[in-house]
Structure formats: C-alpha cells, structure tokens
Amino acid sequence: MGVRIDPHDKIDALTGAVEDLAGQFTLQPLLRRILTRAISLLGGGAGSICSVDEQAGVYRKEADLGVSCQEGRSFPLDEGVTGAVVANRAPMVFDSYAEVRGGHVAPGERDRLHATVGVPIEWAGRIIGVCVVFSTDPALRFRDEDVRLLGLFAKHAAIAITNARLHADADDRTRRLAVSAERERVVRDVHDAVARALGSILMHIDAVDGALDPATAAHLAAARTTAGNALAETRRTVLGLGPALLEPHSLDDALAMELGWARSTTGIRTDLVVTGEWPHPAPELGQQALRIVQEALTNVVLHAQASLVRVGVLYGTEDLTIVVEDNGCGFDPARLATGPRTGLGLTGIVARAKHLGADLQIESTPGWGTRVRAHVPYERTAIGGRSGEDSWRILVVHPRPIVRAGLVRLLARAEPEIQVVGEIGEARAVVDAVRVLEPDVVLLDLQMPELDGARLTSYIRAARPGTSILVLADDTADDLLRAAVMAGARGCVGSAADGPALARAVLAAARGDVALTEQVLHRFVGARAESLDEALTEREHEVRRLVERGLPDKRIASLLGISVKTVEKHVGSVLRKTGSANRTALAHRSAVQRATPR
C-alpha cells in the first residue's frame, strides 16, 4: 500500500527542483534540497544521495537526511542500496531495509526504516551516483510510479553533480593557468631587464675594443664571452616556456582535460586510450604533441559535426603515436594540397608535425569522419623546416604591453617555426635591440611614439640590412605606411588578422617575400607608372614576374633552372633599370602599372 500523490504536489516539487538548479548553490546544499523534495513527495522519512566511482570501486555519501549523517564518507561499491543499484544497473525496491546487504545505517536506526527504493543517477551512459529514499511508515510500499518519480529527481541530481565537477575542473584549471601566466610574466619581465643590461654591456665592450695590451684584451674577450652566454641562456629560459596546461600535469592528464573541454562545449562523447608509459623525453615534444591534439579537437568541435571523438596515445620504444579520430562529416583530403586551407583547422597540425620531424597521416572521407595520426620520434631529426637554433627569430615592437603580450601569444600558438626573441616598448631602444638580438623580422607598430614606424624602419635597415620589417597598420591610406614601405618594410598587417594570418605574414617577411595587399600596392606609385618592358631582356622579364609574386631567390632559381647567384644578378639589373629601390618598390610599380588604364 502507498500514499496517493497529489498531482499539484508533484508539479510543485519538480518545479522547485528545477529552480534550485538555476540558483547559485554548492553541490551538497543543492543535493540536500533535491533529496528533501524527493523524500517529501514519496512520503518517506529519510534518504541519501551518493556519488559513484566505478573505476575506484567506491561510493561517497554526498547528502544524508533523516538518518545518522555520514556525509563525506566513502564505502565499498558492493555494499548497501547503492551497491545493489550499481550491480543491477537498474532501480532496486526493498519491502524492508533489513533485506539490504551490508547497509551502513547505524544499528540503533535500522528498526525504524522499512520500505526502501534506490535509483541510479546517470550521465552520458554512466552511473555517477545513486538516489535512495527510506520509508519510516511500516505500511508504506513503493510502487512503479514512485520509482519513475524518484528517477526524475535523480536526473536533477545528475545535472547538479556534473555541473559541480565541471565548475571544479574549470576553477582548478583557471587557478593553474593564472599561476603559470604569472610565472611566465615574471620570467619575461626579468628577461627584458637582464637582456637589456647584458646587451648594453656587450655594446660597451665593443666600444672599447681596440688597441689594448694583450692582458686587457684577454680579459675583455672573456667578459664578452660570459655576457654573450648569459644573454643566450636568458633567451633560452624564456623561450623554453611551454603551454601552461602541461606544466602541472602529465601528457595523459592534459589530454583528458582537453577531452573534457570538448564534452562540455558540444556534448560530444569522448574516449581516451593510453598504451605504454611516458618515457619523459624533451619537454618540447610533449608540448607540441599536446598542441597537435588541441588543434585536432578544435577542428572536430568547430567543423566535424561529430557525436564521438577518440584520442589514442601509444608510447613506443622510439616514438610517440597520437591518433585523433571522429565520426563526423569528413572532408576531401585533396583540399589540403590544392584548395584553400582556411576553415579546415589542419594547417597548424601539418606545420607542427613537420617541425617535430613526425610522420603525419590525415585520412578522411566525406560523411565518414576523419582520422589524424602522427608518429613523433623521441629524438627529433632535421626532417623538414627549421628547428631549434634555426627557427625564425622575431622582435615585437609596440608601445602597449598588453598588445605585445597578445602578439607574442598569437605567434607562439600559430607557428612552431617562430621564436620571439624580445619585446620592446620604447622606440629608442629598438635599434640597439636589433643589433644585440639579431632578429630575422621586426614586427613594428607604425604609430610608435617619439620615433614613428617609417623612421624606425630606415634606422633598422641601416643597422642590420638582413632584418625584414613588418609594420602593424590598419589605415592603408596613411602616408606613414607609404614612407615605411619605401624605406624598406616588407609589408603590413592589420589588427583584424588572427594568429595564423599574422604568422603567415611574419614568415613571408622572414623569407624575403612581399606581404602587401592589392589595396596597399595601388596606394604608392600614383596615377600612372612607366612601362617596365622596354629596357629589360627576356630573362629579366621572367625574373621580374617571379619577384613580383614575392618568391625568394632560391625558389626563382629552381623554377628557371639557373643558379641563385645568377638570379641575384638579374634582380639587381631589374631594380637598376626600373629605378626601383628594392623588391617591394618594384612590386608596387608593376601592380599599379597593371591596374592603370591604357
């Protein structure tokens, strides 16, 4: 026999449970509210809610009402009502609590508990807890309707437990990232101060290095060597900072957290399989492997429309194998080689795999999902690209610290071949920094105070002609931009550019290519350009056309079947005959000539 439940009471109880979930409560108070409403609606006198960890084989009391409080205690998963529910993977109903094997209610309270019902709390196909209600009325029996009703409250408890875990994970991750970010900021601040001081010492040493007696010259040489080594070590320390997520965790833990992010973002099912043990190779390998998985998961979340994603990690004897596969919409792999890569999210994966000397395989079929597999050697070889000391060295110059920090972060995440060797906020310190740090590219704000970007460009080119300058500018009609380009800047990039676009522009400048839009090109030469066809030989015309495309000398030599030295001679002849100061000016003149009506 049971108690008839008034429909209005049922609606009020369920509505109250939903309202509780919308409030700002910590887990235990919220579970107590849910449990209180369930006990009241079923006519029971006591109850409990437990969380379940099947992998560990235990359950934990999260809320106890009407019985001796055991909140916070853990018990074996083969005991009590919770153990019976988990073992049967279904609700359990007992006519008397005495029928429960291994119950944990205190002996003095057992006699007042009679009919008992327990239902699983489930999330994403797993049992994460159990909700139990005890009757203190000997005449009360729980029916199927009561089981279904308690199941509704169990769904609310599942939401509460899952949200609490997600918030706890997010808070923990936020704290770790904040600590890591502060550590990184402090190290970079120290680097700026120490590097500037060491650079100044080296310049002073160079200034007095002349006709000295042998003993003094020897001491001076030793001082120069020591200062140079200290500067290199400072740079190495700063540039060795890896992804903050990996610092307090193993690679396995970091990958599990990334899969948690994917689940919380889209509701996608995830699976992580790890085989073997982490052999603790160079830290950069773990950092780059994590970034490969991060980019692959981002691609799945944004584009794949998948319901399942699996990540597999195999620690072999000589290499690390990473597999990321989904059951989403897939794509045509030929687009990677022949089509635009924007939107696919795979360009960064390809670049990182090349940087690590990894064997990368991307398999996909439209409608059947995608698999990304990378075999990463523990000992990195010189396969493909530049690495280590051969990375492109970038100096970031901007008056605002927050902008500098953002640019550094964008470049670090977008392109493994880029190393930021310094950040400068004062215009008058730039030339000295260029001499000391020897960057391949200076990323320079056009509107620097004291010395504008155009003047700084000319000073940098005079101090170190081999360094390319890329200016940051949004107004393509700015006369300063024209002056900067005519002074030798390789190109410009606007604030609307994302990380990959910024990295592409920087790499183009580093390789000697022109990074300018058509809109900017049309700005420079004026209404009409003189024809370039009259004074050039046939070979010079071929070289000129390839230079206008922004190709470096090595690429031109390969296409034309001639030596690099011959290309350099032809380029010099083309510049001389056309009156162009440099390759950029030549490209400007040619673009305007093509755009001007005849």
Side-chain angles (χ1 to χ4, degrees), residues 33-44:
R33 286 172 177 266
I34 294 172
L35 185 58
T36 297
R37 297 180 189 277
I39 293 171
S40 174
L41 201 57
L42 268 65

Side-chain angles (χ1 to χ4, degrees), residues 337-357:
T338 62
R341 297 182 179 180
T342 55
L344 287 177
L346 295 172
T347 305
I349 297 176
V350 174
R352 294 189 194 285
K354 179 180 178 182
H355 176 66
L356 292 171

